[in-house]
Amino acid sequence: MKNAHNKITLTLLLGLCTLLLSACGQNTTNATSSNTKTTGTSSNTKKYSTAKSFYSKNSSNQSSSVWNDTKDDKLASFMVTWGQTMKQSYTQCTPDRNTTYTGLHYPNDFSDNKTAFSNHKLSAGWSPDGSNKYKVNVVAIYEDTNGGSTIGGRIYLFTIQDHTPIVYYTEQNQGTPDGLVHFEPTQNTGLSNGFKNIVNSKKNGYSKICNH
């Protein structure tokens, strides 16, 4: 009877050990699974932080630029309103769509180095961010061709010169003895002040522009 009792006790102990080992195995699996999930979350957070940092950096560069897409859009809206006030119609010109008034093709014509500003032949060129690449850095160009006529139209250059916003214009419709295309600062204060306000505007808004 004693041997039979011992066998029963041993069997119970073996069964208990088996249950304990099984429970330990499950805990180890759960712990591993938990660690894996935590690592995955950390990785995703790192990727998100990196992307956010990259976006913030680009946004910072965009907002700190002398000229950017936001300001370009503001000028486009302003030129529509100002043109209506002046009873004129303006078209925005870019390297992909040059001016056509009287056979002039800006901004491409800047490469010929035959452009004068206030009777001074100066280096000029397309500068979409307003950076100081030339003596006269052109950030935007608008023209009114007066319906395709060879007279009565004009070209406006919106520029940054010596870190100062200046709007130049020309109504020249024929050649000159010096072979240059002559631009002069606009005398229209509504246009020049409007451009200055946009250049100096911050990311979240800009001063009210007078359309006169």
Side-chain angles (χ1 to χ4, degrees):
M1 289 293 294
K2 184 175 182 180
N3 290 336
H5 178 75
N6 288 340
K7 286 181 179 181
I8 293 172
T9 301
L10 182 60
T11 299
L12 290 175
L13 288 175
L14 288 173
L16 181 61
C17 287
T18 300
L19 289 173
L20 289 174
L21 288 173
S22 176
C24 288
Q26 288 180 355
N27 289 337
T28 302
T29 301
N30 291 338
T32 301
S33 175
S34 177
N35 289 338
T36 300
K37 291 179 181 179
T38 303
T39 302
T41 302
S42 177
S43 177
N44 290 337
T45 302
K46 184 177 181 181
K47 289 180 181 178
Y48 173 76
S49 299
T50 302
K52 184 177 180 181
S53 176
F54 178 78
Y55 175 79
S56 299
K57 183 178 180 181
N58 284 350
S59 297
S60 177
N61 290 339
Q62 174 86 345
S63 61
S64 64
S65 297
V66 175
W67 195 252
N68 54 42
D69 290 343
T70 300
K71 294 180 181 181
D72 197 59
D73 290 341
K74 289 177 182 178
L75 180 60
S77 297
F78 171 74
M79 288 302 291
V80 171
T81 304
W82 185 79
Q84 291 172 347
T85 301
M86 301 296 293
K87 294 180 171 57
Q88 297 164 353
S89 178
Y90 286 92
T91 300
Q92 185 176 20
C93 300
T94 66
D96 295 326
R97 195 282 184 192
N98 278 228
T99 62
T100 59
Y101 180 62
T102 64
L104 298 176
H105 301 95
Y106 286 101
N108 285 0
D109 282 354
F110 289 128
S111 62
D112 295 336
N113 197 26
K114 293 182 178 180
T115 307
F117 300 87
S118 300
N119 292 321
H120 295 285
K121 184 179 178 181
L122 303 174
S123 68
W126 185 252
S127 179
D129 60 356
S131 56
N132 199 29
K133 298 178 181 179
Y134 311 93
K135 183 64 178 176
V136 180
N137 301 279
V138 181
V139 299
I141 301 175
Y142 283 82
E143 72 170 352
D144 171 19
T145 62
N146 193 29
S149 174
T150 56
I151 59 173
R154 60 198 58 79
I155 297 173
Y156 282 103
L157 305 180
F158 295 82
T159 75
I160 306 297
Q161 184 177 349
D162 296 326
H163 306 289
T164 301
I166 301 177
V167 181
Y168 286 99
Y169 82 101
T170 187
E171 296 179 344
Q172 185 173 315
N173 59 3
Q174 58 186 343
T176 58
D178 59 8
L180 302 177
V181 179
H182 290 263
F183 284 84
E184 299 291 335
T186 181
Q187 299 302 308
N188 188 295
T189 56
L191 182 58
S192 59
N193 288 338
F195 178 54
K196 289 177 182 177
N197 287 341
I198 293 173
V199 171
N200 295 326
S201 66
K202 303 300 182 183
K203 183 177 179 181
N204 294 328
Y206 59 97
S207 303
K208 182 178 180 181
I209 298 172
C210 298
N211 299 316
H212 62 274

